[in-house]
Amino acid sequence: MVDLDWTDRTPLDARGARLGAAGEHPGLADGAYVRRRNAIAARAEGHRVGDPSPRVRYTEAENATWRTVRAAVWSAQTRGACEQVLRAREVAPVHAHGGVPQHEEVSDRLQALTGFRFTLAGGIVPNERFLGAMADGYFHAVQYVRHPAMPLYTPEPDVMHDVFGHGIHLADPFFADLYRTVGRAATRVRSRDALDLISRVYWFTLEYGLVLEGGRPKAYGAALLSSYGELRRFTRADIRPWNLAELVRLPYQVAGYQPVLFALPSLTRVAEQLHDFLDDFDETTRERRRMPPLHERGFLARPGRR
């Protein structure tokens, strides 16, 4: 994810030094990189959920970036991730050597563990497709790699986010069940209003969730797990107790550190809250639970691309 200091939106390197404005990042400004990224992303056009992902011939620079990010994130996870995540990563396809794994390599490992597979995405995927595919054991993942000049700072989710975050989740039956729970709820609705509610709950749990261990917050959300910067700094966020009515109203952004995070006492409680909200979710849930309609919820910002 994007390693930005959310207080001033400037990126940080491994030592915590500011690197300049986010818009100046070579991932947005380097024309050769953008063309490479877009060429890889374009292969997702027309891709059917469940079809095999095409192989990518990663460059040595991309493979070196993988190794750099893997080493940094692995160390940061050891300090900041919850115990179940640390156990899950031991069997997940996040090898230390070589380079960027192919989608099918990751998928074969995940399928053997939990029945999940990666399915190809070119970037942000509409909620109905992205969330609904989880019901059938498919997670949309991209194949492009962040810019090698700044391996610990990227303005959008990339293959490393998907593998280091969701790949670890989907190696564990507990987390895989929660993804399927989200997916099953999404398949029962069609409206933007209902899908947005599911997306927001997913965002503040499986992307940005925290649990308490020994009284201290620990990360389990995939966006936190895959971000060296956020793993080092999430304790500086405004960490609040779980509050469903509050979180569905909050504005949030796909890029940048999240200023507000929600914590639950344990992963057992995470599962209870998700199942309680999603197991009977349908088009009437918002009214039954007296939640705000779509136009009254906080703004969702997505990363831009040239």
Side-chain angles (χ1 to χ4, degrees):
M1 294 300 292
V2 181
D3 288 347
L4 298 176
D5 180 342
W6 55 264
T7 60
D8 61 12
R9 297 290 184 242
T10 55
L12 307 173
D13 68 10
R15 298 164 296 177
R18 291 188 175 91
L19 296 172
E24 300 170 359
H25 187 278
L28 298 175
D30 180 342
Y33 171 83
V34 171
R35 287 190 293 275
R36 166 71 170 168
R37 181 266 184 206
N38 288 347
I40 293 175
R43 302 166 88 179
E45 186 175 352
H47 190 81
R48 295 182 301 178
V49 173
D51 281 357
S53 296
R55 289 186 63 83
V56 177
R57 295 183 63 181
Y58 291 107
T59 67
E60 180 48 40
E62 290 166 336
N63 287 326
T65 299
W66 164 274
R67 293 189 291 270
T68 297
V69 175
R70 195 271 186 191
V73 167
W74 194 268
S75 175
Q77 285 180 354
T78 300
R79 296 191 301 271
C82 70
E83 292 180 2
Q84 186 146 339
V85 162
L86 297 181
R87 290 193 296 270
R89 75 177 185 174
E90 294 300 323
V91 297
V94 287
H95 51 74
H97 305 293
V100 187
Q102 298 293 328
H103 267 200
E104 294 306 293
E105 176 187 353
V106 173
S107 291
D108 289 348
R109 179 61 177 158
L110 296 181
Q111 185 169 27
L113 293 167
T114 65
F116 258 88
R117 297 189 69 86
F118 277 1
T119 194
L120 189 59
I124 300 297
V125 178
N127 277 335
E128 183 173 5
R129 176 177 170 128
F130 175 73
L131 299 171
M134 298 180 199
D136 296 320
Y138 293 106
F139 186 84
H140 282 82
V142 300
Q143 293 180 308
Y144 46 81
V145 178
R146 63 194 61 183
H147 198 287
M150 293 185 181
L152 301 183
Y153 164 48
T154 174
E156 64 176 344
D158 68 345
V159 65
M160 298 177 196
H161 161 71
D162 286 332
V163 175
F164 295 138
H166 300 291
I168 289 176
H169 277 179
L170 297 173
D172 183 279
F174 172 86
F175 287 113
D177 171 74
L178 298 184
Y179 279 71
R180 287 191 176 90
T181 298
V182 170
R184 286 191 292 266
T187 62
R188 294 195 296 271
V189 296
R190 289 291 181 271
S191 69
R192 285 183 58 221
D193 186 291
L195 289 165
D196 179 79
L197 276 178
I198 298 171
S199 179
R200 287 169 187 267
V201 172
Y202 165 83
W203 183 259
F204 285 109
T205 53
L206 292 172
E207 288 285 359
Y208 277 97
L210 300 175
V211 292
L212 302 179
E213 289 183 349
R216 296 182 178 182
K218 294 287 185 176
Y220 73 88
L224 298 174
L225 298 179
S226 60
S227 170
Y228 173 82
E230 292 229 62
L231 281 168
R232 293 178 66 224
R233 298 172 65 88
F234 69 81
T235 56
R236 302 187 190 184
D238 179 4
I239 299 175
R240 303 177 186 178
W242 177 260
N243 186 318
L244 183 61
E246 179 184 9
L247 73 84
V248 299
R249 293 180 178 273
L250 279 181
Y252 68 95
Q253 58 181 28
V254 173
Y257 287 172
Q258 301 303 305
V260 178
L261 300 174
F262 292 90
L264 279 158
S266 67
L267 285 176
T268 299
R269 290 288 292 138
V270 172
E272 289 173 353
Q273 291 292 336
L274 285 177
H275 280 287
D276 176 68
F277 182 61
L278 296 173
D279 282 352
D280 64 350
F281 191 93
D282 60 24
E283 293 287 0
T284 70
T285 295
R286 179 181 63 78
E287 292 184 358
R288 286 190 287 106
R289 296 206 175 216
R290 298 181 179 179
M291 291 180 164
L294 181 60
H295 69 274
E296 293 181 9
R297 297 174 207 150
F299 178 70
L300 162 63
R302 297 189 184 278
R305 171 150 292 280
R306 296 179 180 179

